Amino acid sequence: CDWSSDVCSSDLAHDREVVLLMPMEPENYPRNNPGPATLLVNMTPGRISQGLRREVEIANPVVAVGNFMGSFATQDETFMTAVYDELRRAHLPLLHINPAPRAVCRALASQVGAAYDEPDLVLDGETRRGDLKSLDKAWTAALERIRDRRHAIVMLRLNARSAAWLRSEEHTSEL
């Protein structure tokens, strides 16, 4: 059991929606390596499905699967068809994070009847540098940016710093 699965089952996951960030093959792999459990373009569709299913089961309950890296994989129709087949089986959408210009995900999702969306905002770098006040400032700016929409998908990278931030302060009532 790793840190992320511990967090998913902890108090931090209570009243929050968890998205599994699935490592997918980026351009320039293996120099750019997303780490263990990475789904690769040269895998068979069955192996892609099996790997994705295993990670979803470990992280459950999740509300969506997002790509972690994956700039190369998300451009490959055969790869993404296997991903969508498994996501449809699990009744989960793909949350496409930072789409590559030649990504096939949006158009392919429409063709195969898979659920697809993109986050409106991603708080990532803010969770890895600075102090909790800088994360608070980024969160306040995010709320201002989306306030008039009344609905938005905001991704927050979960790490030790952002976990501490989530456990503290009054901003939790705004989540």
Side-chain angles (χ1 to χ4, degrees):
C1 186
D2 66 8
W3 185 81
S4 59
S5 59
D6 288 345
V7 170
C8 287
S9 62
S10 77
D11 64 313
L12 274 179
H14 181 67
D15 291 333
R16 292 185 176 83
E17 294 179 328
V18 176
V19 174
L20 168 66
L21 290 182
M22 187 67 209
M24 297 180 187
E25 184 174 351
E27 292 184 6
N28 300 316
Y29 178 84
R31 189 169 45 95
N32 292 328
N33 190 343
T38 299
L39 300 178
L40 303 172
V41 170
N42 67 358
M43 291 176 167
T44 65
R47 194 156 167 222
I48 293 167
S49 178
Q50 180 184 37
L52 181 54
R53 182 177 302 167
R54 180 185 63 246
E55 297 303 313
V56 167
E57 288 171 355
I58 290 169
N60 252 336
V62 297
V63 298
V65 171
N67 58 295
F68 178 65
M69 299 178 116
S71 57
F72 186 66
T74 59
Q75 295 178 60
D76 187 277
E77 192 168 322
T78 302
F79 176 90
M80 288 309 304
T81 298
V83 168
Y84 281 140
D85 286 348
E86 182 57 30
L87 292 178
R88 282 197 328 267
R89 187 203 63 75
H91 306 289
L92 291 170
L94 176 74
L95 191 58
H96 197 179
I97 302 163
N98 299 323
R102 294 178 307 280
V104 299
C105 302
R106 180 188 299 269
L108 185 60
S110 177
Q111 291 172 16
V112 301
Y116 173 93
D117 210 339
E118 295 176 21
D120 298 289
L121 291 166
V122 178
L123 297 178
D124 182 14
E126 299 87 347
T127 68
R128 293 184 277 156
R129 61 179 179 274
D131 57 13
L132 296 184
K133 288 189 187 278
S134 64
L135 187 51
D136 229 15
K137 184 177 177 181
W139 178 250
T140 300
L143 288 177
E144 283 303 313
R145 189 169 161 197
I146 63 173
R147 192 167 309 281
D148 292 337
R149 291 189 199 167
R150 304 185 54 83
H151 173 79
I153 299 171
V154 179
M155 297 272 311
L156 172 73
R157 177 181 294 275
L158 189 58
N159 58 25
R161 178 175 285 138
S162 60
W165 179 77
L166 283 170
R167 285 188 177 105
S168 69
E169 301 301 323
E170 59 282 345
H171 66 272
T172 54
S173 65
E174 302 170 59
L175 295 173

